[in-house]
Amino acid sequence: DIQMTQSPSSLSASVGDRVTIICRASQSISSYLNWYQQKPGKAPKVLIYAASSLQSGVPSRFSGSGSGTDFTLTISSLQREDFATYYCQQSYSTPFTFGPGTKVDIK
Amino acid sequence: QVQLQESGPGLVKPSQTLSLTCTVSGGSISSGSYYWSWVRQPAGKGLEWIGLIYTSGSTNYNPSLKSRVTISVDMSKKEFSLRLSSVTAADTAVYYCARGVRGLTGYYGMDVWGQGTTVTVSS
């Protein structure tokens, strides 16, 4: 199985801050990397697919980059509604695997 | 737009079989552009992919659960289902169904999710 790691595991930030979350795969996954946002009690919501493609309806302050084994999710200007947990997921090969998550909370 | 809704018992006894159904509304289940998946999340923990099914009926399961999992599809009812046998307390989780996107050369992310259903394994 491909192992996914994320850093940091949690972060505190203020509204308006630029936030970057890193995801690493245990082997190359090309660009088959997706990012999800999950709020408490809710289903995950896809933000970015194929490493850098913005899902329809997702605000442009979210962006993704990377390929191979190293990926980043960037929120250019954190908004109040962005406080949540973020997961990366590889869809390069089954079994699909998720990172452990990064919790973004209010400083 | 497409919506997914999970249904099934919220309480299952140890050693029994967990059975859940996901109903697809507002769109087609028969498009070859998608795969249909189950994902679970124990309370306070991360996401675990269980498996997927294509409309052809072909399946792919997580090896960690493979011996206990069956995913099936009923196109006429626009439903796909999960069966997990010989459950233990470790199978207690929120179970989500989701639609994934198939690309020409691989899989993309899961773009539509059900709201999730909590299943507790307890006697």
Side-chain angles (χ1 to χ4, degrees):
Chain A
D1 299 4
I2 297 174
Q3 307 304 313
M4 307 300 293
T5 59
Q6 287 181 235
S7 60
S9 57
S10 65
L11 66 91
S12 294
S14 300
V15 172
D17 284 354
R18 182 181 182 88
V19 169
T20 298
I21 299 170
I22 294 171
C23 175
R24 289 197 169 94
S26 60
Q27 66 183 74
S28 177
I29 57 171
S30 185
S31 295
Y32 290 97
L33 190 284
N34 312 297
W35 288 99
Y36 299 87
Q37 176 194 67
Q38 187 179 35
K39 296 181 179 179
K42 300 295 187 182
K45 169 189 171 184
V46 66
L47 302 173
I48 301 287
Y49 65 94
S52 60
S53 296
L54 190 68
Q55 178 72 14
S56 175
V58 173
S60 59
R61 62 181 179 272
F62 292 94
S63 64
S65 65
S67 67
T69 60
D70 295 341
F71 302 87
T72 59
L73 172 70
T74 299
I75 309 172
S76 61
S77 177
L78 196 68
Q79 300 301 301
R80 184 159 295 273
E81 59 267 29
D82 301 335
F83 292 97
T85 300
Y86 294 83
Y87 295 94
C88 61
Q89 177 238 341
Q90 65 82 17
S91 52
Y92 178 77
S93 67
T94 58
F96 298 155
T97 45
F98 292 86
T102 295
K103 185 176 182 180
V104 177
D105 61 20
I106 301 173
K107 182 184 286 184
Chain B
Q1 71 274 21
V2 174
Q3 294 184 319
L4 306 182
Q5 178 68 58
E6 304 91 350
S7 60
L11 181 64
V12 182
K13 289 182 167 50
S15 80
Q16 293 191 341
T17 296
L18 176 162
S19 295
L20 297 175
T21 296
C22 183
T23 302
V24 180
S25 61
S28 172
I29 195 174
S30 60
S31 171
S33 298
Y34 303 110
Y35 61 90
W36 306 92
S37 211
W38 288 94
V39 176
R40 70 180 183 179
Q41 184 173 37
K45 296 190 177 180
L47 299 161
E48 179 182 29
W49 179 76
I50 298 171
L52 63 79
I53 190 165
Y54 303 108
T55 51
S56 65
S58 176
T59 55
N60 199 314
Y61 301 137
N62 192 324
S64 68
L65 300 168
K66 186 174 184 178
S67 63
R68 300 194 290 132
V69 171
T70 303
I71 298 176
S72 58
V73 63
D74 187 330
M75 308 267 279
S76 64
K77 292 183 178 179
K78 295 180 65 176
E79 296 176 347
F80 62 105
S81 300
L82 169 70
R83 287 173 58 87
L84 182 65
S85 64
S86 304
V87 296
T88 70
D91 295 310
T92 294
V94 176
Y95 284 76
Y96 296 101
C97 59
R99 184 185 80 172
V101 179
R102 297 180 74 177
L104 289 176
T105 56
Y107 305 97
Y108 295 123
M110 290 170 275
D111 66 340
V112 180
W113 292 65
Q115 64 185 24
T117 188
T118 299
V119 178
T120 301
V121 178
S122 175
S123 54

